Amino acid sequence: MKQNEILEDGHGRRFYYLRLSVTDVCNFRCDYCLPDGYQAAPNASKTPDLSVAEATTVMGAFARLGTRKVRLSGGEPSLRKDLPALIQAAKTTPGIQRVAVTSNGYKLPSVIDSWHHNGLDQLNISIDSLDNAEFARITGHDCLPRIRTGIDRALELGIQTKVNAVLLGDGAQSRLSQFLNWLKTTPVTLRFIELMQTGDNRDYFASNHLRGSDIEQQLIESGWQLLPRAIDAGPAREYVHPDYAGRIGLITPYSKDFCNSCNRLRVSAQGKLHLCLFSDAGLDLRETIRAGDANALAEKVRALIGNKEVSHYLQKGNTGGTQNLSIIGG
Ligand code: SAM
Ligand code: SF4
């Protein structure tokens, strides 16, 4: 591959989108992700998370390879006090056109203005239920009203705002009605994500997995219409309805051909390249990142892209080395 040619794998997929995890630590205990909370590895001295300078090198390298959009994720990215500086570093990287953050939103009202000031274009907040008590049960934190105040402020600031809701079997219909009610007047995109099996949640997955296609069928029958997909968009199929201010997206990783539209790569907070959310292990880039040479890093990533598999093989029960999604940011 030549320098400045857009990164493409052996299956013809091009990568416009980088998900950069800035920490694997989280303060929530979501049932499907970290039910016992974040556990530091015993007796291990943890490699420090990427510094702002290192993250800048990573984003610079990916921008040279055609990346246009960066999402900062975690763990919980807002646990990093320097998240505004990371947002600014992404925003000022030549070639990066959109900067997004995925967060549980627990301190959103007090931080959203600074994220906006530093260049945030898009915000994804995870809310699995609009019922305060149910939200507290799922996440271990009784703070939904505060998160909703933060979302209102993000909308006031003109930030494109999406809400991620993992589809969970029990009580799905009542959660769907509450969300639909909210979307009548709230201009956010609600993205239902099918629960994915990870190394840690096998039993939970077996009793809670719900197919996104069941919800999708209901939406189509009640007049929701599918929108065309942008090249740097996520994997969601997005629907609109004339009676609703908000939109609905569906992310269905178990559907046939889901991986054909893969356009993203992931780098962990420890500086490992994950060619897939469910690959066996990350490929260690830390030494090259630490050296600060974005060109050398870009060439290294180019050399590794040929190892990307055609599918995640989740349907076959493969979860690779992914114990939970907080490790590499979902
Ligand atoms: N802590 C932040 C948050 O929750 O938004 C960012 C990291 S979290 C891993 C990113 C997204 O992955 C969240 O929307 C979360 O609900 C989703 N997620 C986590 N585990 C999942 C699983 N097993 N299946 C589907 N989605 C999952
Ligand atoms: Fe934390 Fe996000 Fe995982 Fe919930 S889904 S435990 S908020 S990393």
Side-chain angles (χ1 to χ4, degrees):
M1 273 181 204
K2 294 184 210 112
Q3 181 78 18
N4 295 330
E5 202 172 280
I6 289 182
L7 194 61
E8 185 174 320
D9 72 1
H11 309 284
R13 294 172 298 195
R14 293 178 155 205
F15 300 94
Y16 298 99
Y17 179 4
L18 170 68
R19 292 185 79 123
L20 179 59
S21 174
V22 295
T23 179
D24 61 350
V25 181
C26 187
N27 56 333
F28 274 26
R29 299 188 296 274
C30 299
D31 285 339
Y32 46 82
C33 184
L34 293 175
D36 303 319
Y38 172 77
Q39 314 282 324
N43 304 325
S45 58
K46 190 184 157 197
T47 314
D49 293 335
L50 293 174
S51 65
V52 176
E54 288 175 312
T56 304
T57 301
V58 173
M59 295 185 287
F62 276 83
R64 284 164 172 74
L65 296 168
T67 291
R68 297 177 191 172
K69 176 172 173 181
V70 172
R71 172 177 304 284
L72 303 174
S73 184
E76 178 43 43
S78 63
L79 292 178
R80 279 195 61 162
K81 294 209 164 42
D82 56 2
L83 185 61
L86 287 161
I87 293 171
Q88 189 182 48
K91 190 65 183 177
T92 53
T93 298
I96 301 301
Q97 295 165 5
R98 284 189 77 68
V99 181
V101 164
T102 300
S103 165
N104 62 27
Y106 84 106
K107 58 177 178 185
L108 198 54
S110 61
V111 291
I112 188 62
D113 281 72
S114 77
W115 295 0
H116 174 63
H117 179 74
N118 283 275
L120 185 72
D121 297 296
Q122 188 190 311
L123 177 68
N124 285 42
I125 296 294
S126 303
I127 300 179
D128 298 327
S129 168
L130 286 176
D131 177 83
N132 291 341
E134 189 174 41
F135 179 91
R137 261 197 317 278
I138 295 172
T139 62
H141 277 256
D142 190 2
C143 59
L144 180 58
R146 186 166 77 227
I147 296 170
R148 292 179 68 169
T149 303
I151 291 178
D152 291 343
R153 178 65 186 151
L155 291 172
E156 260 171 43
L157 291 167
I159 299 171
Q160 189 195 7
T161 303
K162 301 191 180 189
V163 169
N164 292 351
V166 177
L167 278 174
L168 301 171
D170 196 26
Q173 282 305 324
S174 100
R175 283 192 294 276
L176 176 63
S177 338
Q178 287 194 341
F179 277 127
L180 285 172
N181 222 8
W182 186 54
L183 290 178
K184 282 217 164 105
T185 53
T186 314
V188 299
T189 299
L190 173 69
R191 295 158 11 124
F192 286 121
I193 308 175
E194 236 179 80
L195 178 64
M196 289 175 260
Q197 183 180 323
T198 62
D200 286 347
N201 76 5
R202 283 169 196 272
D203 293 347
Y204 186 87
F205 175 83
S207 40
N208 286 284
H209 180 243
L210 176 71
R211 282 154 47 101
S213 51
D214 297 345
I215 300 280
E216 195 163 6
Q217 200 46 43
Q218 277 189 46
L219 294 173
I220 293 168
E221 282 164 16
S222 50
W224 288 82
Q225 286 168 354
L226 185 62
L227 286 174
R229 184 175 182 278
I231 54 167
D232 64 348
R237 288 189 300 286
E238 264 190 34
Y239 286 83
V240 288
H241 192 296
D243 301 339
Y244 290 79
R247 296 177 171 192
I248 297 185
L250 278 127
I251 302 180
T252 56
Y254 289 87
S255 61
K256 189 174 160 289
D257 299 337
F258 178 78
C259 298
N260 292 356
S261 59
C262 183
N263 62 1
R264 79 267 330 271
L265 292 168
R266 296 174 165 84
V267 173
S268 75
Q270 267 70 54
K272 292 189 175 162
L273 173 69
H274 290 259
L275 295 172
C276 173
L277 187 49
F278 294 97
S279 43
D280 284 335
L283 307 164
D284 202 346
L285 302 175
R286 194 64 182 264
E287 225 179 281
T288 318
I289 295 171
R290 210 175 279 128
D293 182 344
N295 286 325
L297 183 61
E299 283 320 303
K300 192 151 191 180
V301 173
R302 264 191 207 288
L304 291 168
I305 192 71
N307 299 330
K308 187 167 163 67
E309 298 265 6
V310 69
S311 167
H312 50 37
Y313 302 116
L314 265 182
Q315 301 86 342
K316 296 182 178 169
N318 169 61
T319 59
T322 305
Q323 292 306 114
N324 56 67
L325 298 199
S326 82
I327 296 169
I328 41 175

